[in-house]
Amino acid sequence: MARPMTPDQWLKALRAEGVTDIVEMPGWRTNNRNHKGPFSDVHATMIHHTAGEGTGLPSWCFNGSAALPGPLCHDFLARSGRLYLVGNGRANHAGTVARNAYNAVLNEASHHPIPDAAEPVDGNAVSYGLECENDGTPNRTWPAKQYDVAVRVQAARCRFHGWSADSVWAHKEATRRKPVDPRLPMDQFRRDVAERLAHPASWNPGSAPSKPTTPSKPVPPKEAPVALSDADVQRIAKAAADEVWKVMAKSDGVYLAPTDDPQYSPTVTDPGHYWSGRQVMADLVRRVRDIQKAVAEVVAAQKKES
Ligand SMILES: [Zn+2]
């Protein structure tokens, strides 16, 4: 049983977490849908994108529409990093959600599965919701400041309730209706929340919002090897296989891109900062083939000489 935070508790938690640019929208403390259903036992906090951008979004989130009345979230986070407090209580943000997705956040599982098609759970009853201003197109970046505040907001909720970062979920992880909401690598996002939670709320990591970890990649030899025995070839093949296995074993779909990748971006919020598991595998295969080719060339050269 986790009773939702009061408005005063939420403000205090946000400020302690270092969120300073806060707009309290008039009436936010009592803006809710409590007359339509429960919001008394919460176990998760969701992140969304708005799938649109503009200055009208705070009031849209506050009021909603005739078809979908507000509040549409608990907080709205602008691209500038400014946080608008929109509602307190039940909000129209998640809709129905899959049981397996909810169980993952409820039990704080490290694996967040693809949501089932059936959606028997009332997501608005059990989860807070943070809306972030992003148009949702594939290459639209998240400004570093906005990303940092998003991490702080979700960490503040987890810290208050004593939850782990695995209580954070994306709308796309809760329902098949929202397959790209939002376009964030969620395992990385949760790692960043977890890193905050490992420090006091006052922690300020500086300009870099995260220090993601990634498996190391095999490095091909700088010079062509000489006089390779069969044992050498076996050893190289085994080392390459071990590297592949290390990556496979840690597979969660998102890795740091190597800095020599032509598309590499040093900004953690850019897509170019990451590789998919498929890209990592293709790179490993290419490197192993390069090694095989180099070995064959050396062996051929040796035969010619002898
Ligand atoms: Zn959403």
Side-chain angles (χ1 to χ4, degrees):
M1 174 90 193
R3 189 182 294 278
M5 277 180 266
T6 66
D8 285 338
Q9 285 172 331
W10 183 219
L11 265 175
K12 190 176 166 202
L14 281 171
R15 289 183 179 136
E17 205 73 44
V19 180
T20 51
D21 192 358
I22 297 173
V23 174
E24 293 189 62
M25 295 189 75
W28 78 276
R29 289 164 180 266
T30 53
N31 190 28
N32 60 57
R33 309 257 312 148
N34 292 356
H35 53 292
K36 290 293 182 184
F39 187 73
S40 55
D41 188 15
V42 290
H43 292 279
T45 179
M46 188 175 280
I47 184 166
H48 306 255
H49 66 200
T50 47
E53 296 177 11
T55 52
L57 283 171
S59 61
W60 161 256
C61 287
F62 191 97
N63 296 310
S65 65
L68 189 67
L72 303 184
C73 55
H74 294 94
D75 344 85
F76 166 73
L77 176 56
R79 292 181 68 75
S80 64
R82 177 168 289 173
L83 187 72
Y84 292 77
L85 303 189
V86 172
N88 190 267
R90 184 181 169 93
N92 249 340
H93 68 99
T96 56
V97 299
R99 171 69 63 191
N100 66 334
Y102 179 55
N103 282 345
V105 281
L106 180 63
N107 300 322
E108 301 188 326
S110 58
H111 177 62
H112 295 260
I114 293 168
D116 294 336
E119 298 182 339
V121 179
D122 175 1
N124 296 333
V126 294
S127 181
Y128 296 104
L130 168 69
E131 282 281 359
C132 301
E133 182 181 18
N134 185 289
D135 69 12
T137 54
N139 295 316
R140 187 61 168 151
T141 57
W142 289 62
K145 173 72 180 168
Q146 184 190 29
Y147 183 90
D148 179 56
V149 175
V151 169
R152 287 172 192 262
V153 167
Q154 300 297 33
R157 286 202 170 103
C158 292
R159 197 186 300 275
F160 179 90
H161 288 296
W163 297 340
S164 83
D166 282 306
S167 290
V168 178
W169 56 346
H171 206 183
K172 67 181 174 185
E173 293 175 314
T175 171
R176 295 187 186 182
R177 287 177 285 115
K178 300 280 183 173
V180 298
D181 179 10
R183 287 185 195 273
L184 274 183
M186 284 305 297
D187 287 329
Q188 180 62 54
F189 186 81
R190 277 185 284 268
R191 279 197 289 273
D192 289 336
V193 172
E195 191 175 11
R196 274 211 73 79
L197 291 173
H199 294 82
S202 59
W203 182 58
N204 276 305
S207 55
S210 67
K211 289 183 282 298
T213 55
T214 190
S216 60
K217 289 197 294 89
V219 180
K222 285 201 175 69
E223 294 164 25
V226 289
L228 281 171
S229 64
D230 280 357
D232 286 328
V233 175
Q234 289 296 326
R235 190 174 45 77
I236 291 167
K238 179 163 189 326
D242 286 348
E243 290 296 337
V244 172
W245 172 245
K246 268 191 231 165
V247 173
M248 296 286 287
K250 284 192 171 187
S251 179
D252 61 3
V254 180
Y255 303 89
L256 285 190
T259 52
D260 60 354
D261 179 28
Q263 312 293 325
Y264 176 77
S265 162
T267 309
V268 297
T269 48
D270 281 349
H273 196 70
Y274 302 98
W275 269 10
S276 67
R278 194 173 296 196
Q279 282 172 293
V280 172
M281 289 300 295
D283 183 67
L284 285 169
V285 168
R286 183 179 59 73
R287 287 172 193 265
V288 170
R289 288 203 174 123
D290 286 349
I291 293 168
Q292 286 175 324
K293 209 172 131 196
V295 170
E297 281 166 9
V298 169
V299 169
Q302 282 173 341
K303 274 187 186 152
K304 219 180 255 178
E305 280 169 22
S306 60

